[in-house]
Amino acid sequence: MSDALPASASPGGFLLRNPDFRLFCVARFLSGLAYQMQAVAVGWFVYDLTHSALALGLVGLASFAPAILGALVTGHVADTYDRRLIAAGAYALIALCAAALATLALSARAPVWPVYALMVVIGSGRAFAFPATQALMPTLMPREQFGTAIAWNSSIWQSASVSGPALGGLLYALGPGVVFGIAAICFGLAALALAGIRPRETAAPSRGPVSWSTLLAGLTYIRSQPVVLGAITLDLAAVLLGGATALLPIFAQEVLHVGPLGLGLLRSMPAAGAVATAVILAQRPLVRRAGPRLLGAVAVFGIATIGFGLSTSLPLSMACLFVTGAADMVSVYVRQSLVQGETPDAMRGRVAAVNTVFIGASNELGEFESGTLAALIGAAPAVVVGGIGTVLVAMLWTRLFPALRRRDRLLA
């Protein structure tokens, strides 16, 4: 079947009629649902065991370390072997780790160190899964459909991110083992869905001798593209400073005085904002003023983060988190369109691996930064300081990356 888009077909309808893209979206939803459920359960479980903000930060560090340590290898693997099977195998490994967390949670007096060990293995699985899936998606549709596909893909992922935390918080009332067990099932089903995608000639790997040049090709490419480099590092700096996700258990318990269900609602709000924005972008893709809109969205993210840090009201806190998710969705949309649309297929895995490190740094490493700063000055002041830093970063990047500020069209 030709990949050409029929003139009378809508972009969204064409993509949803693509069986491989449907399987890809199923895998994204199930894995996203499982990630978010597991994140709620791990955060609450670790805080129950330790009552320590630093311990929550260490969870993020344990998840992120494998991505940065193995970035060169995971990207090369994604460009050398079958991306479907790499991602499927990685999610199967993560499913086994989730099952191990369920077993640990059923123990009468569980120590915290096995949780960190399992999060390292889970982080290793994600380090292989993310570059493979990011590099796989552009091979499933024509190039002109990248923007719409990214919006659909992000909408599906964020929809799972909305329902996952709330469902995880609700199920946590039955015990963390229940949450981890259901997450294991979802990860396993995601692996099966990815394995069912048909291999394509256009996605065939190119194998050659391994050298430092081939391993570093992704980083070299990004450094040579100032717009891509600016977009990726902007997201890194902004979310590294402004991320408050790791501290939500503290806000839920000590500031807003809500339980696990309230924590799930708080974690759902950024994803809810992202879904609403992704739906709009799927119907009305960004075409012009991509760079200025990206920089403006990051500034809005920082302002909303400051509002969350100052809030003592659950509705206001939820609204601020909703805005952070909406603003972050614009960043994701622009960044992923640039990375996936302008990178040659033979290098997509390596570029995606570098991008994964930046994403991980802005999320998991951001959690470590937030936890450490909160341990020193308190949770609310740490969030406010981070939000201020994010606004300053958006202003600074307009000067450091003029090509990004001037970027008009999303895909050149």
Side-chain angles (χ1 to χ4, degrees):
M1 180 182 295
S2 172
D3 279 338
L5 177 64
S8 60
S10 68
F14 171 76
L15 288 173
L16 293 180
R17 286 195 296 272
N18 181 333
D20 292 330
F21 186 70
R22 285 203 306 270
L23 282 173
F24 184 87
C25 289
V26 167
R28 288 286 286 173
F29 179 79
L30 289 172
S31 60
L33 186 72
Y35 275 133
Q36 296 300 327
M37 291 173 57
Q38 184 172 269
V40 169
V42 167
W44 203 270
F45 185 51
V46 168
Y47 196 64
D48 270 345
L49 292 175
T50 65
H51 297 284
S52 166
L54 181 59
L56 291 174
L58 289 174
V59 171
L61 182 62
S63 300
F64 169 69
I68 191 170
L69 294 176
L72 300 181
V73 174
T74 58
H76 179 75
V77 168
D79 284 335
T80 306
Y81 300 97
D82 191 326
R83 292 163 179 165
R84 302 169 308 120
L85 299 183
I86 294 168
Y91 281 127
L93 173 64
I94 295 171
L96 292 175
C97 291
L101 283 171
T103 302
L104 181 66
L106 296 176
S107 303
R109 293 183 178 179
V112 72
W113 69 263
V115 178
Y116 295 137
L118 288 169
M119 294 308 296
V120 169
V121 180
I122 289 172
S124 300
R126 292 177 65 183
F128 281 94
F130 279 18
T133 53
Q134 285 187 34
L136 174 64
M137 191 188 75
T139 68
L140 305 179
M141 79 286 298
R143 185 178 187 274
E144 60 267 21
Q145 295 303 307
F146 283 2
T148 303
I150 288 169
W152 271 106
N153 178 52
S154 297
S155 177
I156 289 168
W157 176 268
Q158 297 294 352
S159 295
S161 298
V162 171
S163 53
L167 182 60
L170 182 64
L171 292 175
Y172 198 93
L174 302 177
V178 174
V179 184
F180 293 136
I182 294 177
I185 294 172
C186 290
F187 280 127
L189 292 174
L192 292 176
L194 286 167
I197 295 175
R198 296 170 299 173
R200 296 196 171 199
E201 299 252 338
T202 56
S206 175
R207 299 182 185 179
V210 180
S211 66
W212 276 112
S213 177
T214 59
L215 291 176
L216 293 172
L219 185 59
T220 302
Y221 174 81
I222 291 174
R223 290 180 59 188
S224 70
Q225 304 292 320
V227 172
V228 176
L229 177 62
I232 291 178
T233 54
L234 175 63
D235 178 81
L236 165 67
V239 182
L240 178 63
L241 292 172
T245 303
L247 303 180
L248 289 183
I250 299 175
F251 276 87
Q253 191 171 93
E254 299 179 7
V255 178
L256 302 173
H257 307 292
V258 294
L261 181 57
L263 172 61
L265 291 173
L266 289 172
R267 288 192 67 102
S268 295
M269 285 301 100
V275 168
T277 306
V279 169
I280 295 173
L281 291 174
Q283 302 301 319
R284 301 180 62 184
L286 281 180
V287 178
R288 309 299 296 268
R289 293 179 52 79
R293 287 175 174 171
L294 171 60
L295 291 163
V298 171
V300 170
F301 180 91
I303 292 170
T305 299
I306 295 170
F308 172 76
L310 295 174
S311 172
T312 57
S313 162
L314 179 60
L316 178 59
S317 296
M318 292 172 64
C320 289
L321 291 173
F322 183 94
V323 174
T324 65
D328 188 54
M329 183 66 239
V330 175
S331 174
V332 170
Y333 180 90
V334 174
R335 185 182 70 249
Q336 291 295 87
S337 295
L338 291 172
V339 171
Q340 296 184 359
E342 299 190 2
T343 304
D345 181 69
M347 289 179 55
R348 280 200 181 108
R350 283 163 287 181
V351 171
V354 177
N355 190 33
T356 298
V357 171
F358 281 95
I359 294 172
S362 63
N363 291 310
E364 278 83 3
L365 192 56
E367 292 181 7
F368 178 69
E369 178 272 336
S370 297
T372 303
L373 187 59
L376 295 174
I377 65 174
V383 171
V384 172
V385 168
I388 294 172
T390 299
V391 175
L392 294 177
V393 162
M395 297 170 62
L396 179 61
W397 254 239
T398 63
R399 302 296 300 273
L400 294 179
F401 294 93
L404 178 62
R405 183 186 70 242
R406 295 192 299 263
R407 180 65 179 247
D408 185 21
R409 293 192 174 273
L410 191 56
L411 293 179

